[in-house]
Amino acid sequence: MAKIWVEAYGCSASFADSEMITGLVVNGGHTLADDPSDADLNVIVTCSVKDATADKMIYRIKRLKNKPLVVAGCLPKAETATVDKFSPKASLLGPNSLGKTLEIIESTLRGHKKIELEDSDISKVGLPKVRLNPAVGIVEIASGCMSECTFCQTKISKGEIRSFRVGDIVRQVRQEIDDGCSEIWLTSTDNGCYGLDIGTDLPSLIDNVSEIEHDFMIRVGMMNPMYMPRIRKDLLESFENPKLFKFLHIPVQSGSNQVLKDMKRGHTADVFRKSSDIFRKKFERFTVSTDIIVGFPTETEEDFGQTLDMIQETRPDIINLSRYSARLGTKAAFMDQINVLDIMKRSKTVFEIASKISYERNQEWVGWKGEVLFDEISGDTIKGRNYAYKPVIVQEKVKLGHRKKVEITRATKHGLYGHIIS
Ligand code: SF4
């Protein structure tokens, strides 16, 4: 039996994969190392969504390859040659091959490189797991998506949509709750197209999960806005359930319809405007999070202006900002690229506007009194979330998974601060 070190990067789905890899390792009789230097074998669950991220993965791979190494996640699937170049002896485990985890670890421990990149997992529901946060159950509901966005390398790694069955997911959520979780994240590559390949959809899944009789909260993960017109009416009803955090992450990417067309996003900027507007009208202080890419190859100054206008109009609470970078194997990588200095200038502009909006939106919460679920230990403080999934920090000591009534006294662009009132 060996000591195994596992580190993970990327989206919630990637962290969910790392929890399952660790669960399979422990189930297989191995133990977990506290540090790579203490390990017999290292596992890195990679993300390759952006150039900067891929560079960081390569840096980590170089540091971890002094021991037997398994490179998992999106990078080995999207850029096999890149991983082989920097760590030719490393074994490779794809994001949809988790069932092969033990086989690949034991082969690598014996000094035999093994490659498992085929999509062999029928489902990821019901696998053993070691949670990164005991209060939060990250439940993958599907893998892959139904889009062909021209900038996206994740599509190469995760492939076509494969939704897991509603019944299996409900069973998994019950397991998470039985194991002590008070918060459930329903996550996948694109929640918007969940179930469209198996004759169901996201609102139906949410309704089934919400029916579970227990005191827990649900966070619905990222969804491409292109599916909103199709599911919005039902989704609004599903969100009426008090278990649902009044929060949605809807990556719009650009305010220019021409750029969205060149990105093959399948939606217009108005779909995002309308969706954030409708949810905010229905639910008081609903939190809208979005992603913006600046510097996409075909983005002109005028297109960029349309993105700024859309941001000013919709005032998203959170903007995850990316500078476009050409990812290997994507269609956009073959387009004429924009000067990097222009991309940096545009990203600085969006960053300043986004910071100002986040700060002003959080200021609106000063004086608010209400319930907070404390769900995350960060350093020596414990962070909570209110009904709108706003991060709340208090000075008082609170137990993980507990709920307390809090009064908000201060806000920054990152979150809310307050004290417990009952
Ligand atoms: S929806 Fe688009 S950006 Fe998202 S994973 Fe699929 S192809 Fe990539």
Side-chain angles (χ1 to χ4, degrees):
M1 291 304 121
K3 269 191 154 185
I4 312 289
W5 165 254
V6 181
E7 63 183 66
Y9 302 86
C11 61
S12 310
S14 186
F15 286 111
D17 286 351
S18 78
E19 292 184 339
M20 290 181 255
I21 288 171
T22 314
L24 289 161
V25 161
V26 171
N27 236 39
H30 300 289
T31 55
L32 299 177
D34 297 330
D35 188 282
S37 60
D38 175 31
D40 301 307
L41 177 141
N42 293 322
V43 178
I44 177 170
V45 184
T46 60
C47 169
S48 65
V49 72
K50 293 187 248 188
D51 259 6
T53 320
D55 293 346
K56 182 176 176 188
M57 298 301 106
I58 299 299
Y59 171 79
R60 288 303 300 158
I61 287 169
K62 286 182 187 167
R63 308 286 301 213
L64 296 170
K65 70 177 186 180
N66 60 341
K67 303 260 176 78
L69 175 63
V70 174
V71 180
C74 286
L75 190 65
K77 183 95 188 254
E79 294 191 38
T80 312
T82 305
V83 178
D84 281 343
K85 179 175 156 205
F86 291 101
S87 185
K89 292 197 189 121
S91 291
L92 309 181
L93 179 67
N96 298 322
S97 327
L98 300 193
K100 306 283 180 169
T101 297
L102 267 185
E103 247 178 82
I104 218 170
I105 282 181
E106 271 140 27
S107 167
T108 312
L109 282 167
R110 288 195 301 275
H112 305 305
K113 174 182 176 107
K114 198 167 172 44
I115 298 177
E116 290 289 353
L117 293 174
E118 293 312 307
D119 293 348
S120 51
D121 293 338
I122 310 301
S123 168
K124 291 183 184 179
V125 176
L127 290 177
K129 55 167 67 178
V130 176
R131 292 182 187 83
L132 294 159
N133 175 351
V136 174
I138 312 176
V139 176
E140 266 186 88
I141 64 174
S143 191
C145 70
M146 296 171 83
S147 302
E148 303 282 341
C149 305
T150 55
F151 57 82
C152 178
Q153 199 192 59
T154 309
K155 180 72 186 191
I156 302 170
S157 319
K158 296 282 179 77
E160 285 306 321
I161 181 79
R162 270 160 324 106
S163 300
F164 309 145
R165 290 179 307 177
V166 172
D168 292 346
I169 295 167
V170 169
R171 256 189 302 285
Q172 181 69 40
V173 172
R174 284 187 192 287
Q175 185 60 55
E176 306 283 345
I177 293 166
D178 291 349
D179 292 349
C181 295
S182 43
E183 184 173 315
I184 299 295
W185 295 356
L186 300 179
T187 188
S188 70
T189 313
D190 177 6
N191 280 359
C193 56
Y194 169 78
L196 303 186
D197 57 322
I198 58 170
T200 185
D201 63 16
L202 183 64
S204 312
L205 172 68
I206 292 172
D207 295 345
N208 278 276
V209 170
S210 308
E211 273 161 23
I212 298 172
E213 284 165 26
H214 196 86
D215 195 9
F216 66 101
M217 294 297 289
I218 303 168
R219 187 190 85 173
V220 175
M222 176 170 60
M223 55 178 297
N224 182 328
M226 76 179 277
Y227 301 99
M228 265 296 186
R230 178 180 189 150
I231 62 174
R232 187 163 47 213
K233 185 170 163 300
D234 295 342
L235 199 60
L236 275 167
E237 278 168 32
S238 303
F239 267 75
E240 286 171 12
N241 189 300
K243 286 192 174 84
L244 274 291
F245 282 117
K246 301 304 178 269
F247 163 92
L248 267 178
H249 178 191
I250 318 171
V252 66
Q253 307 300 6
S254 173
S256 155
N257 289 341
Q258 183 53 51
V259 169
L260 289 171
K261 201 157 165 254
D262 298 337
M263 286 177 166
K264 277 191 136 180
R265 283 293 288 173
H267 62 81
T268 63
D270 274 356
V271 170
F272 172 72
R273 282 189 182 92
K274 195 169 173 194
S275 302
S276 58
D277 199 40
I278 286 174
F279 276 85
R280 281 188 172 143
K281 281 215 174 78
K282 173 115 185 203
F283 304 105
E284 196 197 348
R285 288 196 266 200
F286 189 95
T287 298
V288 173
S289 167
T290 194
D291 300 356
I292 295 284
I293 295 176
V294 293
F296 183 79
T298 61
E299 183 185 68
T300 63
E301 280 301 333
E302 195 201 335
D303 293 318
F304 180 59
Q306 290 171 11
T307 295
L308 296 181
D309 293 346
M310 180 196 65
I311 291 172
Q312 296 289 19
E313 286 162 37
T314 55
R315 295 172 57 76
D317 298 74
I318 301 162
I319 294 180
N320 307 303
L321 174 61
S322 298
R323 293 179 190 161
Y324 171 80
S325 56
R327 302 299 298 130
L328 196 70
T330 62
K331 289 198 181 70
F334 295 96
M335 299 177 184
D336 295 338
Q337 309 294 306
I338 291 183
N339 176 318
V340 175
L341 294 177
D342 290 339
I343 297 180
M344 288 166 75
K345 220 170 58 200
R346 291 177 190 176
S347 111
K348 185 169 178 297
T349 306
V350 172
F351 178 77
E352 284 160 5
I353 295 170
S355 303
K356 186 169 174 291
I357 293 171
S358 296
Y359 175 77
E360 289 166 357
R361 279 212 166 270
N362 284 348
Q363 285 308 313
E364 295 166 12
W365 287 87
V366 174
W368 176 83
K369 293 176 183 160
E371 191 176 77
V372 169
L373 168 60
F374 289 89
D375 60 358
E376 186 187 344
I377 295 173
S378 64
D380 52 11
T381 58
I382 190 162
K383 201 190 275 185
R385 300 278 175 173
N386 70 1
Y387 77 85
Y389 204 64
K390 286 283 178 183
V392 176
I393 291 179
V394 298
Q395 291 315 313
E396 298 91 341
K397 288 266 169 278
V398 193
K399 282 210 180 86
L400 196 63
H402 284 216
R403 296 174 189 232
K404 295 286 182 188
K405 195 159 183 200
V406 170
E407 177 178 6
I408 301 300
T409 52
R410 187 172 66 85
T412 68
K413 70 175 181 180
H414 300 297
L416 314 179
Y417 295 78
H419 58 260
I420 291 172
I421 48 180
S422 71

